């Protein structure tokens, strides 16, 4: 997706440790014009599937998943990370490791909102180590729903994310695929 | 906002301890049609202000703030709760107490994304104890920006939230104001 490539080159900041900061337009401050284009692109790429729910995980996936769900006219569900005292007792749970926060966490989705009749599109902002997406896939497997595919805004192809989820034979679409980040320079695949 | 009132009566669940669960349509699974109407309503109510940014806090405020920001054609910024190892060192910080999670947390916004030239609309899903909104106002004060107002989806008027923020003399708009939740019944003001 050219608009996204351009924006990453213009405003993305490469930090040591293969970190790409896109918090000026994607995951702290969000440029809503770009966001709408991202939602339109996911609609185009998954348009042939009869999607009934869009699934993501809080927090930075929510905006992207919401505009995508608006395009498909279906509900968006976001997996929760924290223990809330108001949460349902009937939950799908899956553990993932956050490399950003350097700790594991448990992702939770109420059993009411994803069921075996659903066809789910999984959306997230990043695919790097693959932990979050793998846990979302695991939750879909627990729910015995169909998975329409996995839509990723930015994939770092040099990290193990895609490898971890490739064997599920899912339709994966990444809008920007970064193969290298050397000396502050981003190279797309 | 009638559509929201109806939906709260139909699908809201009142639990002991003055808890209103709206996770089937607002803050775990989100009904995107209702969400769009909420965004339109905030646009109508704050349309006379020259808003430059919409500010909310992760996670459940993000979807509402995003559709609102789309209507105003301005960026949305969401305050972060966790310590991320990628975060900027130049941050506005404000402490709030989460009654849902029964613990305090620090809300953080990069100084790059809210500045003294901004006119900020604060958006959140709930106003109950007022901790989150008060911290967002505090962050705006640190940034020395204008505050266009505070837009709330659901306010519990019998809790201290509004009292905590009323003395700032801000334009507050709540789309549903609940005055009582007795025996599982919701009463609107």
């Amino acid at each position: 997706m050219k608009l996204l490539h351009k924006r990453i080159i213009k405003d993305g900041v490469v930090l040591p440790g293969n970190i790409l900061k896109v918090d000026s337009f994607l995951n702290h401050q969000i440029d809503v014009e770009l966001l709408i284009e991202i939602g339109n692109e996911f609609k185009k790429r998954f348009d042939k599937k009869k999607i009934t729910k869009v699934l993501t995980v809080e927090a930075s996936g929510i905006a992207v998943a919401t505009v995508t769900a608006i395009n498909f006219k279906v509900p968006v569900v976001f997996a929760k990370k924290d223990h809330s005292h108001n949460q349902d007792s009937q939950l799908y749970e899956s553990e993932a490791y956050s490399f950003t926060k350097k700790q594991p966490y448990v992702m939770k989705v109420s059993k009411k909102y994803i069921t075996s009749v659903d066809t789910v599109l999984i959306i997230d902002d990043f695919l790097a180590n693959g932990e979050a997406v793998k846990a979302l896939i695991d939750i879909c497997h627990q729910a015995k729903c169909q998975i329409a595919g996995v839509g990723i805004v930015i994939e770092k192809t040099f990290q193990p994310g895609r490898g971890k989820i490739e064997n599920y034979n899912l339709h994966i679409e990444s809008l920007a695929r970064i193969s290298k980040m050397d000396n502050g320079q981003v190279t797309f695949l």
Side-chain angles (χ1 to χ4, degrees), chain A:
Chain A
M1 188 184 166
K2 266 188 192 164
L3 189 71
L4 178 64
H5 285 201
K6 276 188 194 168
R7 191 59 175 270
I8 292 169
I9 286 167
K10 183 171 161 274
D11 292 327
V13 178
V14 179
L15 296 180
N18 284 324
I19 290 165
L20 175 66
K21 269 176 77 85
V22 289
D23 65 353
S24 67
F25 60 94
L26 190 65
N27 54 21
H28 181 21
Q29 173 170 259
I30 302 170
D31 177 334
V32 296
E33 277 178 54
L34 177 67
L35 186 71
I36 288 167
E37 292 304 321
I38 288 170
N40 291 344
E41 188 68 27
F42 281 134
K43 176 74 163 79
K44 233 184 282 175
R45 297 197 187 192
F46 293 102
D47 209 16
K48 288 184 183 154
K49 319 270 175 132
K50 288 193 176 150
I51 289 157
T52 63
K53 298 270 166 100
V54 172
L55 176 65
T56 190
V57 57
E58 64 181 22
S60 55
I62 295 177
V64 175
T66 298
V67 293
T68 305
I70 286 172
N71 282 338
F72 282 103
K73 297 186 169 61
V74 299
V76 52
V77 176
F78 58 92
K80 304 210 169 194
K81 286 178 182 172
D82 288 306
H83 178 65
S84 156
H85 288 261
N86 305 349
Q87 213 159 33
D88 279 336
S89 51
Q90 294 293 307
L91 297 165
Y92 305 118
E93 298 190 354
S94 189
E95 196 175 281
Y97 184 83
S98 167
F99 286 86
T100 321
K101 287 167 192 162
K102 300 196 193 332
Q103 57 186 28
Y105 62 95
V106 178
M107 211 181 266
K108 296 169 187 181
V109 173
S110 166
K111 290 188 179 178
K112 284 187 279 190
Y113 305 133
I114 304 282
T115 71
S116 60
V117 303
D118 282 313
T119 299
V120 171
L121 174 60
I122 294 170
I123 293 283
D124 207 4
D125 57 341
F126 268 96
L127 177 63
N129 289 291
E131 287 286 305
V133 172
K134 197 163 171 277
L136 290 169
I137 293 169
D138 179 34
I139 282 169
C140 287
H141 288 166
Q142 291 177 46
K144 296 184 172 54
C145 66
Q146 298 291 315
I147 301 175
V150 178
I152 299 295
V153 183
I154 300 173
E155 176 182 348
K156 297 195 232 166
T157 65
F158 56 90
Q159 286 186 316
R162 187 175 281 250
K164 272 189 206 163
I165 61 172
E166 226 160 22
N167 54 335
Y168 296 115
N169 280 320
L170 298 171
H171 175 185
I172 306 169
E173 293 278 355
S174 304
L175 306 188
R177 304 188 71 193
I178 295 172
S179 59
K180 227 170 50 177
M181 299 197 311
D182 285 345
N183 310 314
Q185 285 285 90
V186 168
T187 308
F188 295 104
L189 199 71

